[in-house]
Amino acid sequence: GINPSRIIGAKAFDNINFESSLITPIPAAHEKYETDNLGNHLYLSYIIYLAGVTIYFAGDTVETEELVDTLRKFKIDIAFLPINGADWKRRRKGTIGNMNAREAANIAADCNIDLVIPIHFDLFKGNSENPSHFVDYMLENYPNHKFHIMRPGERFIYMK
């Protein structure tokens, strides 16, 4: 029921101008990087430039060296990173995984991201994570790094 003229296709590293923001899709590895027969990445994450703030929305992805190298180039202010992880029991049920709390924290630190907000920790029964694991790891390993655990319906204002 969506008018095709309203659909904007996304391709890795092809910028999209959308209203007052710029969006840069980047490859995502939903357990691994995959492409179609034309070499287009099947999974994408998005870097959004909005009101002077650079936001990285990972969606579904795992930690890779390529991801870290890519993110370092963008000087990310805020990153929304999945922390629900992956394991063999979930894979056996057909559940594709994401990075875990430790990996998300390490990416935030390695890429010098100003503020990290963990996501995907409570979306689906049987594929969740306790966000306190993320908090504990951040406080133990990166005590001066900013993070925030969102609550449903919460409004959050970021100031550089």
Side-chain angles (χ1 to χ4, degrees):
I2 297 173
N3 184 330
S5 68
R6 295 187 62 207
I7 297 172
I8 300 170
K11 186 175 179 180
F13 302 109
D14 283 357
N15 288 333
I16 300 167
N17 288 299
F18 184 74
E19 296 183 9
S20 61
S21 63
L22 177 70
I23 302 168
T24 302
I26 64 169
H30 201 0
E31 295 228 3
K32 63 182 181 177
Y33 292 104
E34 295 182 52
T35 57
D36 63 16
N37 58 355
L38 298 174
N40 296 310
H41 288 272
L42 297 182
Y43 309 111
L44 297 170
S45 294
Y46 298 91
I47 297 176
I48 304 162
Y49 307 93
L50 183 63
V53 177
T54 303
I55 301 165
Y56 170 58
F57 183 80
D60 291 321
T61 195
V62 297
E63 175 190 41
T64 68
E65 186 174 356
E66 180 181 331
L67 175 62
V68 171
D69 290 344
T70 299
L71 291 178
R72 283 181 177 152
K73 297 173 187 171
F74 286 94
K75 296 181 176 81
I76 306 295
D77 294 308
I78 305 170
F80 292 86
L81 301 175
I83 64 166
N84 61 316
D87 55 53
W88 67 269
K89 286 185 177 183
R90 288 185 241 190
R91 286 188 192 100
R92 183 175 64 191
K93 294 178 183 176
T95 303
I96 300 172
N98 292 306
M99 65 183 78
N100 61 35
R102 179 185 52 80
E103 293 164 335
N106 291 340
I107 285 175
D110 291 345
C111 297
N112 200 29
I113 293 166
D114 187 47
L115 171 70
V116 62
I117 298 175
I119 58 173
H120 281 42
F121 55 83
D122 64 352
L123 287 178
F124 304 104
K125 186 177 180 174
N127 188 25
S128 62
E129 182 57 70
N130 184 337
S132 67
H133 298 161
F134 173 80
V135 172
D136 288 345
Y137 191 84
M138 287 295 289
L139 292 175
E140 183 175 329
N141 295 280
Y142 309 110
N144 297 317
H145 202 108
K146 294 187 282 187
F147 65 88
H148 185 75
I149 308 296
M150 298 292 291
R151 307 241 189 286
E154 178 181 2
R155 180 180 182 191
F156 185 83
I157 299 173
Y158 173 79
M159 309 258 309
K160 277 186 161 185

